[in-house]
């Protein structure tokens, strides 16, 4: 019997270390039992997770565990040879909807093997590319396979992968580099982290494939220092691959040399842009450079370089093993393959999903994500991170592909998908994301450095109840100038949250400015709390919990809020018994 415990960052944060500490000494005394760690299978909402794999191969999954419950379930399996049916999360032959609607290629191994075991990866077909090279597979064959797959960069822009490779391959020079962009900086995004933690060898093999295609002998992984577990497992994987001879000089006698090293970034969002990333790798301040020359011509240390993100690279071993046509058969006509999304925000089942391109937003949010928390009304989804855009309910049925998403004013981005409900203020949301991009601007361009600051000042003024009649015209005008005049993708896309919310939720802006009202009741300067005397039972709980002591009254009599003292923190509404719901906001 095999027991797997989900030991990714989400699992550990939910208590997986306690489960491991409970199971490890017990399992050591059971000869017929193997205990191993695994990565994130995507069910972050159900962490901590534990799989029990019976001798006949059936997988029994359990979620929302604690240490004592996990041990009791494991002992029951061992003693009775049967699962605890009422505790099961799912069975392999009866997947819950969250997994059933997915098509897993980049995430094929995540949650299904020990990420710290080279043997486990190779048993699942890993490093099969080396055998193809020994059998005569050429760089031209690799590029042809990737071209036929239709794989586009999964880091945001969606540039055809083969085209970038081909440009670097034809450049003169003995030294070339493959760079893995693992600088995942979008708020709410954790796709790359989960792949690195759950299947690091697939990224290493993907880099090897890319290096072979362009004639590079060195690979660099630029990973943010905030991902310590990902860095640890990458290092374990590199050392194991080198020891086994599948990385290094003359790999497995193929005549191909390829080494990989890790560089840690300081978490600057702008370093997700490839030329800023290269500058950071070279020890300089992370600031974008003019293109051309492109990195494929003069990149790291002025040598031809190809930069691909983690998800792009993780797809490559599968494509080479199964053929480009197999990948192209998945997805839509213009957007091939699958895409990984991180579901976050006001959604019932937050986590990772990998779906065929062309699936609708509605299917992702409702069929896989389970819908909106507390069954509230869906309002919008932010797609593409802080540089993306907000897509309203009326567009929920559009297909998720590059063309359709771009047509909404949003972008596919790296795959962050933040869901919002009726309680979200779209003006405040635009302010939040613009504040993020403004702080992350490197300051090189006047349009980005000053334009985003002026936009932020307007949004802050609107949220504070001081909006002016011409603010929306001025906001759009500056946004378009920033978009047109910025050097890199950060500045060019920074106005997207503002422009899309102005387009789809303009009435909320107008309510803030003309009526001095926040329809979502989120902007503190534009709301007031009061107690409904018909509902208040005089329990005094709100007065006891009020941090500024602005609520007064007598027992069993309606209480009153002093609006001049009220800080609008919402504590009173949170503590008021739901059976009375006497605290009102308008």
């Amino acid at each position: 019997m095999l027991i797997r415990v989900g030991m990714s960052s989400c699992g550990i944060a939910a208590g997986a270390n306690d489960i491991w500490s409970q199971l490890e000494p017990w399992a050591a005394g059971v000869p017929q039992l193997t205990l191993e760690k695994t990565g994130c299978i995507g069910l972050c909402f159900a962490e901590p997770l534990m799989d029990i794999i019976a001798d006949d191969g059936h997988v029994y999954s359990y979620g929302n565990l604690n240490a004592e419950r996990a041990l009791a379930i494991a002992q029951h399996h061992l003693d009775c040879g049967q699962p605890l049916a009422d505790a099961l999360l799912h069975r392999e032959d009866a997947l819950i909807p969250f997994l059933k609607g997915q098509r897993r290629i980049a995430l094929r191994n995540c949650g299904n093997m020990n990420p710290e075991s080279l043997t486990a990866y190779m048993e699942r077909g890993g490093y099969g590319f080396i055998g193809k090279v020994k059998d005569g597979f050429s760089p031209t064959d690799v590029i042809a396979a990737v071209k036929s797959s239709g794989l586009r960069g999964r880091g945001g822009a969606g540039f055809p992968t083969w085209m970038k490779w081909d440009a670097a391959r034809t450049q003169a020079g003995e030294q070339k580099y493959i760079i893995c962009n693992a600088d995942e900086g979008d708020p709410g995004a954790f796709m790359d982290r989960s792949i690195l933690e759950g299947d690091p060898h697939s990224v290493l093999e993907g880099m090897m494939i890319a290096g072979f295609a362009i004639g590079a002998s060195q690979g660099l992984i630029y990973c943010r220092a905030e991902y310590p577990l990902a860095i640890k497992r990458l290092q374990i994987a590199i050392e194991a691959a080198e020891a086994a001879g599948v990385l290094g000089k003359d790999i497995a006698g193929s005549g191909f040399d390829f080494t990989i090293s890790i560089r840690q970034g300081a978490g600057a969002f702008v370093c997700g842009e490839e030329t800023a990333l290269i500058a950071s790798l070279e020890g300089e301040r992370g600031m974008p450079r003019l293109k051309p020359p492109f990195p494929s011509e003069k990149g790291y240390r002025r040598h031809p370089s190809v930069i691909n993100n983690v998800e792009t690279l993780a797809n490559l071993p599968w494509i080479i093993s199964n053929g480009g046509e197999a990948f192209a058969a998945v997805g839509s006509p213009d957007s091939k393959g699958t895409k990984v999304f991180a579901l976050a925000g006001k959604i019932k089942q937050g986590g990772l999903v990998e779906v065929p391109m062309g699936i609708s937003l509605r299917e992702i949010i409702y069929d896989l994500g389970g819908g909106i928390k507390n069954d509230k009304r869906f309002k919008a989804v932010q797609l593409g991170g802080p540089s993306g855009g907000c897509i309203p309910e009326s567009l929920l049925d559009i297909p998720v592909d590059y063309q359709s998403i771009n047509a909404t004013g949003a972008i596919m981005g790296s795959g962050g998908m933040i869901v919002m409900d009726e309680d979200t203020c779209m003006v405040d949301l635009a302010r939040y994301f613009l504040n993020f991009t403004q702080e992350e601007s490197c300051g090189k361009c006047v349009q980005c450095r000053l334009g985003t600051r002026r936009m932020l000042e307007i949004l802050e003024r609107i949220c504070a109840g001081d909006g002016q009649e011409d603010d929306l015209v001025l906001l759009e005008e500056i946004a378009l100038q920033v978009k047109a005049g910025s050097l890199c993708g950060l500045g060019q896309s920074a106005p997207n949250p503002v422009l899309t919310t102005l387009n789809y939720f303009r009435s909320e802006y107008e309510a803030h400015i003309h009526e001095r009202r926040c329809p979502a009741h989120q902007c503190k300067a534009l709301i007031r709390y009061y107690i409904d005397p018909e509902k208040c039972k005089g329990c005094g709980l709100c007065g006891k919990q009020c941090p500024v002591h602005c609520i007064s009254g007598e027992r069993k009599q309606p209480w009153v809020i002093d609006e001049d003292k009220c800080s609008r923190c919402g504590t009173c509404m949170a503590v008021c018994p739901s059976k009375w719901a006497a605290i009102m906001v308008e």
Side-chain angles (χ1 to χ4, degrees):
M1 189 169 78
L2 170 65
I3 297 178
R4 291 191 301 233
V5 179
M7 298 286 284
S8 58
S9 290
C10 55
I12 291 170
N17 274 338
D18 293 336
I19 292 174
W20 184 265
S21 298
Q22 184 84 300
L23 292 177
E24 190 174 30
W26 170 76
V30 183
Q32 67 270 38
L33 179 65
T34 302
L35 178 66
E36 67 178 30
K37 300 175 182 179
T38 191
C40 176
I41 200 169
L43 298 161
C44 303
F45 64 92
E47 293 282 5
L49 295 165
M50 179 179 72
D51 288 343
I52 296 181
I53 298 89
D55 293 337
D56 62 2
H58 277 292
V59 179
Y60 302 95
S61 295
Y62 300 89
N64 300 305
L65 299 173
N66 57 37
E68 292 73 21
R69 181 65 167 159
L71 180 58
I73 291 171
Q75 289 174 331
H76 178 84
H77 269 267
L78 192 66
D79 295 340
C80 304
Q82 295 292 329
L84 277 176
D86 60 338
L88 279 173
L89 186 63
H90 76 286
R91 282 189 56 173
E92 188 174 344
D93 55 357
L95 296 177
I96 61 173
F98 186 86
L99 291 174
K100 192 175 182 179
Q102 297 189 41
R103 177 72 168 90
R104 296 167 72 86
I105 296 178
L107 301 179
R108 61 195 176 278
N109 294 325
C110 293
N112 294 313
M113 71 170 201
N114 182 356
E116 298 181 9
S117 170
L118 172 61
T119 300
Y121 180 68
M122 296 185 77
E123 285 175 349
R124 298 177 69 87
Y127 293 110
F129 172 69
I130 297 172
K132 285 184 172 288
V133 173
K134 293 174 71 173
D135 290 340
F137 209 59
S138 69
T140 304
D141 294 330
V142 174
I143 292 178
V146 175
K147 181 178 181 180
S148 67
S149 75
L151 177 66
R152 297 167 65 168
R154 297 304 196 238
F159 191 79
T161 302
W162 77 271
M163 198 175 292
K164 186 184 290 189
W165 290 9
D166 198 49
R169 183 180 67 87
T170 56
Q171 292 295 314
E174 293 184 4
Q175 185 61 61
K176 298 178 182 180
Y177 293 94
I178 290 294
I179 300 172
C180 170
N181 180 357
D183 190 56
E184 186 175 50
D186 293 3
F190 46 94
M191 302 78 60
D192 292 351
R193 172 177 59 76
S194 294
I195 293 173
L196 294 173
E197 292 177 357
D199 189 15
H201 283 285
S202 70
V203 179
L204 303 187
E205 187 176 6
M207 294 179 70
M208 179 191 300
I209 292 167
F212 181 76
I214 74 165
S217 61
Q218 292 187 43
L220 302 171
I221 301 175
Y222 185 83
C223 186
R224 56 197 303 109
E226 295 92 333
Y227 284 179
L229 182 59
I231 292 170
K232 174 187 173 183
R233 289 185 176 163
L234 277 170
Q235 192 61 53
I236 291 172
I238 290 171
E239 291 173 2
E242 288 175 341
V246 293
L247 270 183
K249 298 289 185 181
D250 189 23
I251 296 172
S254 66
F256 173 46
D257 301 338
F258 195 72
T259 59
I260 296 176
S261 59
I262 303 171
R263 309 289 176 84
Q264 296 185 39
F269 182 66
V270 72
C271 286
E273 196 278 336
E274 58 183 14
T275 60
L277 185 155
I278 289 172
S280 180
L281 276 175
E282 294 172 341
E284 299 179 8
R285 183 179 177 185
M287 300 179 76
R289 298 169 177 171
L290 284 171
K291 294 183 288 189
F294 294 95
S296 58
E297 301 167 295
K298 293 183 179 180
Y300 179 59
R301 295 179 176 173
R302 311 302 287 172
H303 294 292
S305 306
V306 164
I307 301 176
N308 292 128
N309 87 318
V310 169
E311 184 185 342
T312 307
L313 293 165
N315 278 303
L316 294 173
W318 190 96
I319 290 173
I320 297 301
S321 176
N322 294 276
E325 293 77 11
F327 189 84
V330 181
S332 65
D334 295 319
S335 297
K336 308 294 187 181
T338 61
K339 181 73 189 78
V340 180
F341 290 100
L343 296 181
K346 303 295 184 68
I347 194 162
K348 290 181 180 178
Q349 298 179 169
L352 279 185
V353 298
E354 183 174 2
V355 294
M357 289 281 203
I359 190 174
S360 71
L361 282 169
R362 187 182 301 276
E363 289 175 275
I364 296 174
I365 293 169
Y366 284 93
D367 294 347
L368 304 183
I372 311 304
K373 278 185 179 178
N374 303 316
D375 295 320
K376 291 196 173 184
R377 182 176 61 83
F378 171 88
K379 190 170 193 176
V381 58
Q382 172 79 3
L383 196 61
S387 299
C390 296
I391 299 175
E393 186 176 20
S394 61
L395 297 178
L396 266 181
D397 292 311
I398 66 166
V400 176
D401 58 43
Y402 289 102
Q403 292 79 3
S404 300
I405 296 299
N406 289 346
T408 69
I411 59 174
M412 185 82 72
S414 60
M417 191 176 286
I418 301 177
V419 178
M420 292 156 279
D421 66 11
E422 59 195 72
D423 294 331
T424 304
C425 173
M426 303 309 292
V427 184
D428 185 60
L429 183 86
R431 181 205 58 77
Y432 169 81
F433 281 117
L434 192 65
N435 181 70
F436 178 88
T437 50
Q438 203 281 322
E439 288 182 345
E440 293 293 333
S441 171
C442 73
K444 188 171 187 176
C445 310
V446 173
Q447 288 88 345
C448 182
R449 182 178 71 248
L450 297 182
T452 55
R453 166 53 62 184
R454 297 290 86 83
M455 290 172 65
L456 181 59
E457 289 171 351
I458 294 172
L459 289 170
E460 289 174 337
R461 185 166 69 233
I462 294 173
C463 290
D466 298 321
Q468 302 170 9
E469 288 292 324
D470 60 349
D471 273 347
L472 299 189
V473 174
L474 182 59
L475 194 58
E476 284 183 295
E477 181 180 333
I478 298 175
L480 293 174
Q481 290 177 355
V482 172
K483 199 173 183 70
S486 295
L487 173 63
C488 81
L490 186 149
Q492 293 164 9
S493 58
N496 285 346
V498 176
L499 291 171
T500 53
T501 51
L502 277 170
N503 185 23
Y504 299 120
F505 301 96
R506 197 177 193 90
S507 61
E508 287 200 30
Y509 283 87
E510 293 171 343
H512 280 68
I513 295 173
H514 303 313
E515 303 172 32
R516 298 293 189 264
R517 178 177 65 88
C518 176
H521 302 146
Q522 296 299 316
C523 297
K524 289 185 176 182
L526 300 177
I527 60 175
R528 60 179 284 265
Y529 286 92
Y530 68 94
I531 298 175
D532 187 336
E534 299 296 324
K535 295 181 179 180
C536 181
K537 304 301 180 183
C539 70
L541 187 59
C542 57
K544 292 177 182 178
Q545 298 295 322
C546 177
V548 295
H549 308 292
C550 72
I551 305 176
S552 59
E554 298 182 7
R555 293 280 297 175
K556 298 184 179 180
Q557 297 295 321
W559 286 45
V560 178
I561 297 175
D562 185 337
E563 293 183 29
D564 292 333
K565 295 181 180 179
C566 179
S567 64
R568 301 171 179 85
C569 66
T571 301
C572 55
M573 179 175 282
V575 300
C576 183
S578 58
K579 60 182 177 181
W580 297 327
I583 308 295
M584 313 300 288
V585 60
E586 66 176 17

